[in-house]
Amino acid sequence: MWLYIRHLIQLVLSPTGGWNDISEAARTPEEVQRRGFYPWTALVALSETVRCLYEPDLSVFTALGCALAVAGSMLVTLYLGRLLLDMSLVRLVDGTLNVSKVAVFTLYMTGMWGLFIMVSNLVPASLTIVHFLPLLSVLVIFKASAFLGVREESGIALLGWGALATIVAPYVIYALLTLLL
């Protein structure tokens, strides 16, 4: 899990270097998912309970419901995002699409959404900048072009599909799940 977290932080600090390191690590999507994404999802979900410390109106049951919604949205986004990207990126690459790299891309971008959720849960003050953190994902998606083998002229299309699959989808799924709980 620590390698996964290190890669997430590196993607935020240096997207190009982060994608290069992820590529050099050459871990299979199954390994990244099992050893990185699943424990990270649990940790992000547990961070929802920290809000009980500084939000006096928040009950433990509401925080646990939010934790379930976060974990559920990360898991649904992983598979929905992977499906959407597998279908849409075929037209954007030269040759054949490397589905393993698309899976790794989706694992890290969904984990990055979790990173932003965790930061917003751990920062008790309502800082405006915390709400703009997901905009960093746009740069990280754009810099993933070389990692995914996307043609240079298709970078904006990758940005659109990647943002839809890994930034917009988790927020929509989270909103729907919180309405159900």
Side-chain angles (χ1 to χ4, degrees):
M1 178 172 84
W2 300 114
L3 180 61
Y4 183 80
I5 294 171
R6 189 181 76 176
H7 282 156
L8 282 177
I9 292 170
Q10 189 172 9
L11 283 172
V12 170
L13 298 177
S14 171
T16 304
W19 288 119
N20 289 340
D21 283 354
I22 290 168
S23 184
E24 288 172 8
R27 295 171 51 189
T28 65
E30 294 78 19
E31 184 180 1
V32 172
Q33 191 168 353
R34 187 173 20 88
R35 291 188 177 177
F37 181 77
Y38 287 150
W40 177 247
T41 300
L43 201 60
V44 171
L46 285 175
S47 76
E48 285 288 322
T49 60
V50 172
R51 291 179 25 214
C52 291
L53 298 174
Y54 59 86
E55 288 184 24
D57 297 340
L58 186 69
S59 72
V60 174
F61 294 112
T62 304
L64 290 175
C66 289
L68 287 172
V70 165
S73 63
M74 286 180 74
L75 293 172
V76 171
T77 297
L78 175 65
Y79 294 106
L80 185 65
R82 192 180 298 173
L83 174 68
L84 182 63
L85 291 174
D86 281 343
M87 292 183 336
S88 61
L89 295 184
V90 170
R91 299 182 300 271
L92 305 179
V93 297
D94 286 326
T96 58
L97 181 66
N98 187 336
V99 292
S100 291
K101 286 193 173 189
V102 172
V104 169
F105 171 80
T106 309
L107 285 162
Y108 278 102
M109 291 309 300
T110 305
M112 185 173 290
W113 181 78
L115 178 66
F116 301 144
I117 292 296
M118 182 178 277
V119 167
S120 70
N121 287 336
L122 297 178
V123 175
S126 178
L127 298 175
T128 305
I129 193 158
V130 171
H131 300 293
F132 288 103
L133 284 176
L135 292 177
L136 287 173
S137 298
V138 173
L139 178 63
V140 176
I141 292 169
F142 188 73
K143 294 293 184 174
S145 295
F147 175 74
L148 294 170
V150 172
R151 291 187 305 269
E152 191 173 313
E153 65 270 7
S154 299
I156 300 299
L158 168 67
L159 187 59
W161 286 111
L164 182 65
T166 62
I167 299 173
V168 176
Y171 282 111
V172 170
I173 294 166
Y174 177 76
L176 290 174
L177 288 176
T178 54
L179 284 176
L180 294 174
L181 299 174

